[in-house]
Amino acid sequence: MADVLSKESRHRNMSAIRNRNTKIERCVRRMVYAGGFKYRTNVRDMPGRPDIVIRQYRAVIFVNGCFWHGHDCHLFKMPETDTEKWRNKFRRQIEVDKQNVNALIDLGYRVLIVWECSLRGKDRHTPSGLAERIEEWVLRGAGLGSIAALKSSNPGDTHKL
Ligand SMILES: [Zn+2]
């Protein structure tokens, strides 16, 4: 019985995390839209099904939840039950993310990772500050960029595993 309950509450937690990720994706879309860029969302025929693709600028944006993508920041916490299973899951996700980024760069796209912690939590950017950084990157950013929490010691591509 105890196990059933804990499974149910875990399921609720995971759903809550997924919904939050959808919310931050919408938020980033609004910023891109406000920047005047034409974009497509959830583009299925590109590696990793990017959240946002701005073809005119050969730019792709992923909005990554810090939990699912194992980001090295204050929002990531390793689950205390089934830890090994989770660790392996995160490692696989990180590997898939890397392969997708490389594939997109090979196709001639630039890739920006916007981490959840840049929008949520104690060290988030202001909405206008974040919008500016995204716009700046779309216009002039390097091949692979990332935006994370303001005080992050890890500006992007490091993971907790
Ligand atoms: Zn993060």
Side-chain angles (χ1 to χ4, degrees):
M1 192 62 191
D3 192 45
V4 172
L5 285 178
S6 71
K7 262 185 195 160
E8 270 175 13
S9 73
R10 196 154 50 211
H11 181 74
R12 265 200 307 277
N13 284 340
M14 295 308 153
S15 306
I17 289 169
R18 283 210 185 86
N19 289 339
R20 216 156 57 207
N21 290 348
T22 312
K23 215 172 124 187
I24 62 170
E25 270 176 43
R26 276 203 304 267
C27 190
V28 171
R29 267 183 225 166
R30 273 199 304 272
M31 288 176 183
V32 172
Y33 181 77
F37 301 109
K38 282 201 186 113
Y39 64 92
R40 292 170 63 206
T41 57
N42 296 322
V43 181
R44 285 169 199 275
D45 58 354
M46 288 175 73
R49 206 172 99 171
D51 300 312
I52 296 168
V53 177
I54 308 169
R55 280 201 204 274
Q56 193 188 349
Y57 290 87
R58 302 295 285 178
V60 163
I61 302 175
F62 286 99
V63 182
N64 279 1
C66 296
F67 178 74
W68 296 110
H69 297 267
H71 193 215
D72 186 6
C73 72
H74 67 283
L75 295 185
F76 180 86
K77 192 170 172 289
M78 183 64 78
E80 281 169 17
T81 52
D82 294 331
T83 304
E84 264 323 287
K85 204 180 87 190
W86 280 105
R87 198 189 306 279
N88 289 331
K89 186 178 164 60
F90 293 133
R91 283 196 177 129
R92 277 198 303 274
Q93 184 62 54
I94 289 164
E95 197 45 47
V96 167
D97 288 347
K98 271 187 204 153
Q99 286 169 5
N100 288 332
V101 166
N102 290 337
L104 286 161
I105 288 174
D106 285 348
L107 289 170
Y109 280 87
R110 296 175 296 130
V111 180
L112 176 67
I113 313 286
V114 177
W115 289 99
E116 178 186 7
C117 55
S118 68
L119 278 137
R120 200 175 75 77
K122 59 187 171 76
D123 297 326
R124 64 183 182 272
H125 298 241
T126 62
S128 62
L130 185 61
E132 248 172 59
R133 288 200 55 180
I134 292 172
E135 190 176 336
E136 177 68 25
W137 182 88
V138 173
L139 295 173
R140 283 176 280 274
L144 175 60
S146 62
I147 304 175
L150 277 172
K151 288 177 198 160
S152 172
S153 54
N154 296 299
D157 309 312
T158 50
H159 299 92
K160 214 153 205 167
L161 307 146

